[in-house]
Amino acid sequence: MSEHDPVTFAVSFRSGDLAALDERLLRALDGAWERVRLLAREDLACRPGCTPCCIGPFPITLLDAWRLARGLRELAARTPERARAILARARESWLRMEPDFPGDRARGLLGEDEGERERFLERHAALPCPVLDPETGRCDLYAWRPVSCRTYGPPVRFGATRLPPCPLCFQRAPRERIEACRIEPDPEDLEGKILERLRAKHAEEGETVIACALSRAGLGGHGSPGKRRRARRVEP
């Protein structure tokens, strides 16, 4: 795979720098989550085994894709059988999604047409995330999960955008209670600044889906073929 493949493009960015920036972002997100967890308490339904938000694909950034690929390789070094199982599920999901992927299939980037995106996501809404362990109901790459996963559950605000809580959370809470628990997980827009630096270096931007990102990531020297394999192209 080319070092400039958009899904893994950050390999040529100094990995220590990118990891440090990403860790700063994750600390901010996890700190916001911890604050709302203490405040919301029983109003949050989020717990291991609660998986409705893990069903169906959704867009992720190229930073998310890089983080997931990094997590898969680290998992492969410790528990190769779990990493191989994730990779197998990702490739199976991508083979199902690729024929009607709305964008650049060769590079794994979603197109800009919102209608096509929505129809694609709806068609595959029953597919579980390949990182979800079907036996335990837990995320096998939890420490490396995308920003969307880290911020879903409570009511959140990203700049001027206000998003409602998960339908399973705050079910009996009055509006005042919900608003009191609203968080702004990335007030400095650290994610945007990191993505901008990556765009400036690689002239690449866009979004993909988890199945595509992981099916292209491979396991390096940890149980995968010596050459990383792309998911088989299925022509329409």
Side-chain angles (χ1 to χ4, degrees), residues 89-228:
R89 294 194 297 267
R91 286 175 171 163
E92 181 181 357
S93 292
W94 178 235
L95 286 175
R96 294 179 63 177
M97 289 189 282
E98 187 185 19
D100 61 348
F101 184 74
D104 187 335
R105 293 183 221 166
R107 298 191 299 160
L109 293 176
L110 287 163
E112 297 298 323
D113 189 304
E114 291 298 329
E116 288 186 357
R117 282 190 179 210
E118 287 302 318
R119 288 188 289 273
F120 167 75
L121 298 178
E122 288 174 6
R123 280 193 295 271
H124 299 286
L127 281 178
C129 176
V131 183
L132 181 67
D133 186 318
E135 295 183 2
T136 66
R138 290 174 176 265
C139 175
D140 275 343
L141 292 178
Y142 187 77
W144 300 277
R145 65 198 186 280
V147 169
S148 293
C149 304
R150 292 174 183 271
T151 56
Y152 190 72
V156 297
R157 180 175 65 251
F158 291 99
T161 302
R162 300 166 73 87
L163 300 177
C166 163
L168 299 180
C169 300
F170 297 90
Q171 290 188 332
R172 295 186 176 87
R175 182 181 297 274
E176 295 78 13
R177 167 74 171 160
I178 295 174
E179 287 303 317
C181 293
R182 186 175 295 279
I183 58 171
E184 188 169 8
D186 186 15
E188 298 181 54
D189 192 23
L190 295 174
E191 182 186 33
K193 292 173 183 174
I194 296 170
L195 289 171
E196 182 55 41
R197 287 186 62 174
L198 294 173
R199 277 194 295 270
K201 183 174 180 63
H202 295 280
E204 286 284 5
E205 59 183 316
E207 295 178 311
T208 185
V209 292
I210 291 175
C212 176
L214 289 178
S215 69
R216 291 162 182 257
L219 301 179
H222 301 288
S224 71
K227 254 181 141 179
R228 291 179 179 173

